[in-house]
Amino acid sequence: MITAENAAHFPRVSKSPEPPDVRLQGVTKRFEDVLAVDELTLEIPRGSFFALLGPSGCGKTTTLRMIGGFEDPSEGRILLGDHDVTGLPSYKRDVNTVFQSYALFPHLDVFENVAFGLKRRKVAKAEIAKRAREMLAIVGLEGMDRRKPRQLSGGQQQRVALARALVNHPRVLLLDEPLGALDLKLRKQMQLELKRIQHEVGITFVHVTHDQEEAMTMADSIAVMSRGRIEQLGGPTELYERPRTAFVAGFLGVSNLLGGTVTTSGAVRVDGTGEIRVDAPLPPAGTRVQVGVRPEKLRLDDSAANSVSGTVVERAYIGVATQYVVDTPAGRLTVFVQSSGTAAEGDAVRVSWDPESTFVLEEAS
Amino acid sequence: MSALLAAPLGWLGVAYLGSLAVLFVAAFWRLDPFTAEVIRDYSFSNFRTLWEGEVYRDIALRTIGIAALVTVIDAVVAFPIAFYMAKVASPRAKALLVVAVLMPLWASYLVKIYAWRIILQENGPLNWLLEPFGASGPGFGNVAGVIVFSYLWLPYMILPLYAGLERIPDSLLEASSDLGGKAGRTFRRVILPLAFPALVAGSIFTFSLTLGDYIAPQIVMAGNQFIGNVVYTNVGVANNLPLAAAFATVPIAVMVVYLLLARRAGAFESL
Ligand SMILES: Nc1ncnc2c1ncn2[C@@H]1O[C@H](COP(=O)(O)OP(=O)(O)OP(=O)(O)O)[C@@H](O)[C@H]1O
Ligand SMILES: [Mg+2]
């Protein structure tokens, strides 16, 4: 699972003497009049599980394809380790890709698909067979060597694509929405499996997804992208609990945002109600900001330091929790309560939360 | 539904297979040498005549050999063109190329052959072009036949190949490159096997169209006959329908063998 420790992992590793596995330096990609990737600078440390997360069309695939060598950047440099690979064709790069459509060779069987890269490198026949079988065992496909891709389920095809790439022991493995074609249950299962396999082989994974939950479950660090730029980069916990922009806050789950002004006493005066305390660095007094709280950090009582009063307008049972919508002078708040809760629609309630659960966004955006 | 299908299937059965059957039966009849009447009893005498006549053997071998050579030449010439159309050209260039390939099909086949007769003749443009280099064109004969047939049937090879290559997803080519395959390896291990059924489809056209032709040989091959010419003269001039029918079974047999081989090679698996 992802913990705060994992999140802290990132800066420590990047300071080690070993060069990062992937470095993008001011990488820009233009397609005629479309700016797909906009001066992206990024370092992906060795052995990490890195996610590129963002909405459709934000440039994730383009970024990945430039690392893989299928697309040349319009500007900027790409390094793998200490090796400048800008402009090198994909067959000269020590990276392998798991394509979104899997791109398995339909005329070759599972074994031949997996052995494709090794055969090219003139590895001895016995060695090829050994390594291919080993890799098929790691992805859980023993005994399927002689099947053709069309005789496999989506999940099995996905595993073949993974084995075919990993068997070459690349420096970096690129995955473009590898679970996109699977149903929800299989997707959840494959998320954990991918994580296990990454631990087992110790190769750097760069995983593209538009599913925030998937990125949070699997990645050590996540770059949230929007319109060709990195909006924020960090561990899952950090991004979830301390988003720096409204885009990141909104993209990684539900959040309640309240407008306010920084006071001289180091608090925030929320429009329509009183002051609330914040456990985060604040801009100078007088600055307009938005403060945010996640719904599950809100409580329907008066026990925490920050509180507002309001009226329940909606109550819905959503499986793991009960969702309340509460109208307050500061705005409408969404609250998730673990127990079924006692408040009913129309009741007057107090909503409270801790200063530590509060994040601050500058309103300029 | 079955009523709808009955008419076309009936037509196929009676008109198409029926005429083939009549042809096959007629091949075993023979001609009375004195009255020149067709005698409807059954013997292998026509096939014996064909087998023992050196002229007939030469004609059959020439026909099959040229058909095979034309097929190979068309495959080699068509592949890069079809590949460029399917995988490299911009959508605009692609549309222009498709039109360019189809255009010659709108012109009369006969006119195209006569055009080649003019190109290849003694004081024609080809010799005029080659003269400064001290060379000369092939004149009329087998080589001219190969050139003209290769030209005539090239679109029939390009179009199925183009469709077949178009169907290969770009991601497969990228996957090959991703796994370290340079252009040559990607071609041999990915493109060629996947385009093979299309190549066979195209070759069936070029091969059978050449095999059945009898007009181009008369115009550009200087008296070198094809099976079709013999069939034509035996039906029309010599009035020996049984012999013509027997000789006509040769290209049919060749095509059957060809299709069986193609099937063995897996050409129809992915159709
Ligand atoms: N070959 C291309 N030609 C022109 N524009 C392109 C090309 N490839 C991508 N684009 C444009 O670049 C932008 C980024 O595309 P990209 O495929 O990287 O997005 P993405 O983040 O992967 O989106 P998705 O989640 O939908 O896959 C889009 O606006 C897209 O239309
Ligand atoms: Mg994409």
Side-chain angles (χ1 to χ4, degrees):
Chain A
M1 255 328 281
I2 307 307
T3 60
E5 190 190 306
N6 265 342
H9 199 55
F10 176 66
R12 217 183 316 137
V13 174
S14 68
K15 277 192 204 90
S16 75
E18 240 179 317
D21 264 344
V22 181
R23 267 181 289 181
L24 304 184
Q25 299 176 340
V27 169
T28 298
K29 178 69 188 182
R30 268 180 234 101
F31 293 106
E32 280 117 48
D33 51 343
V34 184
L35 185 60
V37 174
D38 187 6
E39 275 200 60
L40 205 71
T41 295
L42 181 64
E43 292 195 352
I44 300 175
R46 166 142 269 195
S48 66
F49 199 129
F50 192 93
L52 282 173
L53 174 66
S56 184
C58 72
K60 308 178 297 284
T61 297
T62 306
T63 306
L64 204 71
R65 287 173 60 80
M66 287 192 288
I67 302 173
F70 305 115
E71 214 82 73
D72 278 329
S74 314
E75 279 159 44
R77 294 203 310 157
I78 299 171
L79 291 92
L80 298 176
D82 283 329
H83 210 65
D84 188 337
V85 298
T86 323
L88 282 190
S90 56
Y91 57 80
K92 284 196 181 148
R93 299 190 185 196
D94 191 12
V95 297
N96 285 115
T97 308
V98 176
F99 293 86
Q100 177 162 16
S101 56
Y102 311 142
L104 298 178
F105 302 119
H107 58 298
L108 302 179
D109 64 27
V110 168
F111 178 85
E112 291 167 324
N113 262 285
V114 174
F116 194 94
L118 295 176
K119 277 197 183 137
R120 197 268 319 167
R121 288 199 258 158
K122 312 249 156 31
V123 180
K125 231 181 175 154
E127 176 72 11
I128 291 179
K130 187 172 144 273
R131 278 169 66 177
R133 296 250 149 69
E134 248 170 43
M135 197 43 76
L136 284 171
I138 289 182
V139 300
L141 281 181
E142 296 105 324
M144 303 232 182
D145 312 26
R146 292 299 159 214
R147 296 245 198 125
K148 287 283 176 70
R150 64 169 175 276
Q151 300 169 310
L152 300 175
S153 73
Q156 289 167 336
Q157 290 181 22
Q158 206 274 325
R159 286 162 200 260
V160 177
L162 192 62
R164 181 177 73 174
L166 279 177
V167 78
N168 306 295
H169 290 297
R171 179 188 272 275
V172 182
L173 185 75
L174 307 175
L175 305 105
D176 190 0
E177 312 235 6
L179 310 179
L182 307 180
D183 65 50
L184 186 66
K185 193 156 166 248
L186 193 55
R187 195 152 72 222
K188 296 270 175 225
Q189 183 195 331
M190 283 305 296
Q191 286 173 5
L192 299 176
E193 194 116 329
L194 267 181
K195 186 80 189 147
R196 169 186 70 78
I197 291 169
Q198 196 258 342
H199 265 290
E200 208 164 316
V201 297
I203 291 172
T204 305
F205 277 33
V206 182
H207 182 111
V208 159
T209 179
H210 61 256
D211 178 347
Q212 50 95 13
E213 219 177 302
E214 184 172 301
M216 306 262 276
T217 318
M218 296 202 281
D220 306 324
S221 12
I222 302 172
V224 181
M225 287 183 69
S226 161
R227 289 196 231 125
R229 298 167 155 276
I230 292 184
E231 196 83 4
Q232 190 176 350
L233 191 153
T237 322
E238 184 190 339
L239 289 179
Y240 188 74
E241 293 184 354
R242 294 263 174 266
R244 280 202 302 266
T245 67
F247 178 83
V248 175
F251 200 73
L252 277 80
V254 184
S255 57
N256 296 296
L257 296 181
L258 307 172
T261 314
V262 179
T263 66
T264 45
S265 56
V268 176
R269 175 173 304 285
V270 173
D271 307 339
T273 56
E275 281 188 12
I276 62 159
R277 295 205 344 254
V278 175
D279 188 24
L282 276 171
T287 314
R288 287 289 300 168
V289 292
Q290 285 187 298
V291 291
V293 203
R294 297 288 180 189
E296 68 278 9
K297 307 277 185 183
L298 291 173
R299 279 174 252 163
L300 280 189
D301 57 30
D302 215 355
S303 62
N306 295 322
S307 72
V308 292
S309 53
T311 319
V312 176
V313 292
E314 209 180 296
R315 175 177 186 240
Y317 179 63
I318 52 166
V320 288
T322 305
Q323 172 184 305
Y324 288 91
V325 178
V326 181
D327 252 348
T328 74
R332 202 159 255 209
L333 297 179
T334 303
V335 184
F336 293 159
V337 182
Q338 283 296 328
S339 61
S340 63
T342 50
E345 277 169 34
D347 287 2
V349 290
R350 277 195 85 74
V351 182
S352 71
W353 69 95
D354 293 323
E356 302 86 70
S357 311
T358 316
F359 53 82
V360 181
L361 317 170
E362 279 196 52
E363 211 168 44
S365 64
Chain B
M1 190 66 202
S2 52
L4 268 177
L5 278 176
L9 278 180
W11 182 86
L12 192 73
V14 174
Y16 193 77
L17 294 177
S19 63
L20 269 181
V22 169
L23 176 85
F24 195 68
V25 170
F28 293 93
W29 297 340
R30 66 198 162 83
L31 210 62
D32 188 301
F34 302 109
T35 62
E37 290 284 313
V38 171
I39 301 172
R40 300 187 178 191
D41 55 8
Y42 298 95
S43 76
F44 283 95
S45 70
N46 293 321
F47 292 98
R48 203 173 309 121
T49 312
L50 291 175
W51 184 250
E52 284 166 359
E54 209 168 310
V55 184
Y56 294 126
R57 223 180 309 155
D58 283 351
I59 289 172
L61 287 179
R62 175 187 306 126
T63 309
I64 295 166
I66 287 181
L69 190 60
V70 165
T71 299
V72 171
I73 289 172
D74 274 349
V76 170
V77 174
F79 214 109
I81 297 173
F83 187 81
Y84 184 84
M85 284 165 64
K87 292 289 169 208
V88 185
S90 67
R92 220 183 115 77
K94 190 179 285 196
L96 282 174
L97 280 167
V98 170
V99 171
V101 169
L102 287 173
M103 195 105 79
L105 296 182
W106 301 340
S108 156
Y109 151 89
L110 213 50
V111 167
K112 284 183 285 187
I113 300 174
Y114 276 113
W116 272 101
R117 190 182 163 86
I118 293 167
I119 293 172
L120 294 168
Q121 73 195 6
E122 190 69 53
N123 46 8
L126 184 65
N127 280 338
W128 178 77
L129 267 178
L130 290 174
E131 205 175 12
F133 307 99
S136 66
F140 298 131
N142 288 344
V143 177
V146 170
I147 293 172
V148 172
F149 281 126
S150 299
Y151 162 80
L152 281 176
W153 313 138
L154 187 61
Y156 296 93
M157 181 63 94
I158 293 179
L159 291 175
L161 254 185
Y162 164 67
L165 289 169
E166 181 96 290
R167 277 217 308 258
I168 301 177
D170 289 346
S171 64
L172 288 187
L173 310 186
E174 290 183 349
S176 173
S177 172
D178 184 69
L179 294 165
K182 293 183 197 168
R185 191 179 149 77
T186 301
F187 178 77
R188 268 178 287 117
R189 297 273 323 238
V190 181
I191 297 172
L192 204 52
L194 289 174
F196 188 67
L199 199 60
V200 172
S203 78
I204 289 170
F205 288 123
T206 56
F207 189 72
S208 65
L209 285 171
T210 314
L211 213 55
D213 201 271
Y214 65 100
I215 294 177
Q218 294 177 48
I219 302 176
V220 295
M221 286 179 61
N224 287 347
Q225 289 190 307
F226 262 34
I227 292 175
N229 300 109
V230 176
V231 171
Y232 182 75
T233 44
N234 269 297
V235 175
V237 184
N239 207 14
N240 189 345
L241 180 71
L243 187 71
F247 212 13
T249 58
V250 172
I252 293 171
V254 171
M255 270 325 285
V256 168
V257 171
Y258 190 83
L259 291 174
L260 286 176
L261 285 178
R263 205 179 71 151
R264 275 274 295 272
F268 305 120
E269 258 168 35
S270 53
L271 288 186

